[in-house]
Amino acid sequence: MTVTPNGPAFSVQEIPFSHYGSWFGISPVIAQHTQAPDLHLVSHQNGMHPVLRLTPAHPGSGARAHATWHATPTCLTWRADGGVVDLVYEGADTVRLRGRGLDMRISAAATELTPFSGTYFYRDPVDGSYQFTSYETGRRYRVTPLRGDAVAEGAEALGGADRSVTLSGADGSDEWEAAVEEIDSARRPYAAGDDFAAVTARSQEAFRGFADAVAAGPAGMAPAAELAAYVLWSATVRPAGLVRRPAVLMSKHWMDKVWSWDHCFNALALAPALPELAWHQFRLPFDHQDETGALPDSVTHSEVLYNFVKPPVHGWALRRMRERLAHPPTHAQLSQSYDQLRRWTDFWLTARTAPGRRLPHYQHGNDSGWDNATTFDAHRVTVTADLSAFLVLQLTELAELARSLGEHEEAGEWARAADSLQEALIDQLWSGTRFRGGSPDDGAPATGRSLLDLMPIVLGERLPREIGDALAERIASHLTPYGLATEHPDSPHYEADGYWRGPIWAPSTVLVEDGLRRAGHTGLADEISHRFRSLCEKSGFAENFDALSGEGLRDRAYTWTASAYLLLADDHGRRNGAASGRG
């Protein structure tokens, strides 16, 4: 990463070039683990869809130009043989392109048009623009030439055809300019209100305002804080479809959803400086809470999935969020949170607790967020210690919220329920040296070497000292030079790129670090924080990381990883500042 006056330069192969509020980005990543040789306009409405291919071409011959790509938060640039094309966002749904000595061919990514798929292309006689109509996104993509020539190919063609418009200079000039918009249905003809320089300056100002807020204070001292801010800023979309509020997607690669625990970590990172946006992140899955109190597994533009859920980390997250807000939540915010959290907790204590049992269960590893963890090898439907630990914290937070709202009788009931559940957790799943899982049907125990089995450390100060110490010792054995392996490296089931069977993940790191610190194991917590922050500074903000090499894996622009980095950096800076102040 190189820092420029426009912000940190980054690899567009790893992080899409996009803008706050936009549902599309510019990237060579066109599907899961699939990179194209050209950059594409990739929309995330109705799913992830590469709509337009952007191919630089040599003036005159039209031959493909083998260009290099350069990206900062403000500007994306193609360079080839002395020519250059710049692309900047004018707004959430519009980009401006400007070329000099290099043409640009904008073509439909799909060459086949059927009655139900592909992209139709035509020249609009109303304003002379060129429009691509995508079945996949249900949107139109309007190209309006502002300066220079535009030559179309394949207009109004059906079936298989190359559909494109090539932008180039005219009248002896090698310069040209155009606008590209993502449109729902129809819109007034495009009119450029500002020149390219002014559009660029406005985009830079928009990012700078966000970055200066999110990466302010102690977090701002971290080397990768500004790039982390860009990952969050560029992955934020405006309300549309089933997304009812501004939302930080997990990524503008293929992980283009909000899962119902990922959002908590983004809310925590945003809370100190952008509380309104933080509250939106926390609330978003609750917009789709069902009649049983369950949260959906995930939410995105055109899909809400309920076939799985996610772990109840929300009480833990709300407690931490309240600590990080510059101003206490309002009575209305507390009241709404209390009601939503109560219903979410009731779901686990009724719909997911078998008759006669005291401990709730997951139906599949997906419910835990640790999809394929070895904890679920013996039983997919299983009682696990992490689930009850999260619910103890959620019941404790409900007690705090009830007290704040003046509901003292209810507060006492929640506190007693928390104590009772913790007692059952220890009585039934603590072996004397470790926690075990088990079947909710016959209680048959299952043991393994997954970090998930050590997650009751989140109980922190609530844990008996001997249990906290035993968990800390086992957690330390998962610590590699880069962070916490989710499966012990000595386990026969360890896989370097095994998703939750080995790689380092941001959420587990944050949860364990916080629990250790509250349990009094601050030295180990400090080391975990340091190694994870160093890992991000070395390998970026990947979905997860090889625990033994530190290599970034899977989706390479993941927002909860960026948020975890900012959160840990901010906490580290505040502790150091407090320590310096005492000195």
Side-chain angles (χ1 to χ4, degrees), residues 14 24 98 171 183 186 239 261 264 287 308 490 504 510 543:
E14 295 190 357
F24 68 84
R98 179 181 65 180
D171 301 325
I183 299 171
W261 70 312
C264 291
D287 291 340
F308 293 108
D490 293 341
I504 296 164
V510 170
E543 184 180 355

Side-chain angles (χ1 to χ4, degrees), residues 108 110-115 117-119 153-163:
T111 58
E112 188 71 23
L113 176 65
T114 78
S117 66
T119 303
E153 180 181 351
E156 302 182 45
L158 304 178
D162 289 329
R163 301 168 176 85

